[in-house]
Amino acid sequence: SYTAVAGIVLIEPYIREQYEPRNWLTRHLWGLTAVSLAAQIATFPLGFYYFQQFPTYFLLANMVVIPLSTVVMYAGMLLLLFAAVPYISDVIVALLQGTLFLLNGSVKLTETLPGAVLQTGKIGFSQLICIYLLTGGLFLFWINKHIRWLHLAAVSGIILFVLLIFRQHDQATQQQLLVYSIPKSSGLGLIHGHEAVLFGDSLIYNQKNLIEFHIQPHLINCGIKNTEQFSMQEDTLIDS
């Protein structure tokens, strides 16, 4: 959140000044767009680093989330002031509940859209720094057109590319035997290169959220492209 606020404070003014809307509606939409872009520019490398994903519909979602979250914030402040006042507090509570319902519904709806999340795979801290230097260099070059910032972006991009090549090589040659810690269930994984074989009991395959939460993040970090699944309900023989 601190990074997003820093992006809004430092980057948003430069984005906003690129276009001057002529009426209230386009001015409001452009303001939301500028804020969304600034926050995303500042935080997307952290999204790669911590969550290994990128929200592809962030502009669409923020067109709804930002206004509704603003209403939630002011309604919450009003509720603190008028909590002891009958009728008025009831109206504020109803407004707050309705706004939260719309806010959560809009987020869930966005998540159901095709391609809502782009899985990026895990990056290391050095790659995170390179992405920030690359992004910062391009942004500063866009602002003042000094060639030194373009040089910074170019060098950072080259280093990032080399680091990604080494990472790709490590993933292509990896071999792992894993026992996943899953509550009330059992899971075993065999990884060779970009391929994985999973063995699990019926509970894992009947509840997809177990795989998504306990297994899938690790497979994404390992760059797995193909996954085979087998049940451990019966004895299983692997022919090597």
Side-chain angles (χ1 to χ4, degrees), residues 35-54:
V35 170
S36 299
L37 287 174
Q40 198 63 46
I41 290 172
T43 58
F44 83 88
L46 291 177
F48 291 172
Y49 183 70
Y50 287 108
F51 308 110
Q52 298 86 52
Q53 61 185 22
F54 180 82

Side-chain angles (χ1 to χ4, degrees), residues 21-22 34 41 53 64 72 84 134 161 166 205 210 221 238:
R22 296 184 179 182
I41 290 172
Q53 61 185 22
V64 180
V72 169
L134 172 60
F161 181 71
F166 279 111
Y205 298 127
L210 292 178
N221 292 342
I238 304 177

Side-chain angles (χ1 to χ4, degrees), residues 144-204:
N144 52 42
K145 301 300 187 293
H146 288 171
I147 193 65
R148 65 174 178 269
W149 300 119
L150 192 59
H151 290 163
L152 173 63
V155 172
S156 302
I158 292 172
I159 295 175
L160 177 62
F161 181 71
V162 172
L163 291 174
L164 291 175
I165 289 178
F166 279 111
R167 174 191 161 205
Q168 186 71 16
H169 176 266
D170 291 340
Q171 290 179 347
T173 57
Q174 66 186 337
Q175 296 186 32
Q176 300 182 35
L177 169 62
L178 303 144
V179 178
Y180 293 101
S181 177
I182 303 173
K184 300 180 180 180
S185 186
S186 301
L188 178 69
L190 300 174
I191 293 179
H192 178 73
H194 293 290
E195 299 184 351
V197 179
L198 299 179
F199 299 90
D201 56 25
S202 58
L203 181 61
I204 292 180

Side-chain angles (χ1 to χ4, degrees), residues 33-220:
T33 302
V35 170
S36 299
L37 287 174
Q40 198 63 46
I41 290 172
T43 58
F44 83 88
L46 291 177
F48 291 172
Y49 183 70
Y50 287 108
F51 308 110
Q52 298 86 52
Q53 61 185 22
F54 180 82
T56 52
Y57 296 113
F58 72 93
L59 275 178
L60 176 63
N62 286 342
M63 290 296 174
V64 180
V65 169
I66 293 177
L68 290 179
S69 59
T70 302
V71 174
V72 169
M73 180 179 64
Y74 284 111
M77 295 171 61
L78 289 174
L79 184 59
L80 291 176
L81 293 175
F82 296 98
V85 181
Y87 303 112
I88 295 180
S89 61
D90 294 336
V91 173
I92 298 175
V93 168
L95 174 63
L96 187 58
Q97 290 177 336
T99 307
L100 287 172
F101 176 80
L102 293 175
L103 179 61
N104 293 331
S106 65
V107 172
K108 291 180 179 179
L109 178 61
T110 305
E111 291 177 349
T112 61
L113 296 176
V117 176
L118 176 64
Q119 301 291 348
T120 62
K122 185 174 180 58
I123 63 172
F125 184 74
S126 57
Q127 295 165 325
L128 171 67
I129 298 301
C130 286
I131 294 175
Y132 267 118
L133 292 175
L134 172 60
T135 306
L138 291 175
F139 179 75
L140 291 171
F141 176 74
W142 176 59
I143 292 176
N144 52 42
K145 301 300 187 293
H146 288 171
I147 193 65
R148 65 174 178 269
W149 300 119
L150 192 59
H151 290 163
L152 173 63
V155 172
S156 302
I158 292 172
I159 295 175
L160 177 62
F161 181 71
V162 172
L163 291 174
L164 291 175
I165 289 178
F166 279 111
R167 174 191 161 205
Q168 186 71 16
H169 176 266
D170 291 340
Q171 290 179 347
T173 57
Q174 66 186 337
Q175 296 186 32
Q176 300 182 35
L177 169 62
L178 303 144
V179 178
Y180 293 101
S181 177
I182 303 173
K184 300 180 180 180
S185 186
S186 301
L188 178 69
L190 300 174
I191 293 179
H192 178 73
H194 293 290
E195 299 184 351
V197 179
L198 299 179
F199 299 90
D201 56 25
S202 58
L203 181 61
I204 292 180
Y205 298 127
N206 291 334
Q207 299 184 22
K208 292 184 178 180
N209 62 307
L210 292 178
I211 293 180
E212 293 175 355
F213 183 80
H214 295 280
I215 300 178
Q216 194 65 31
H218 178 257
L219 297 181
I220 294 174

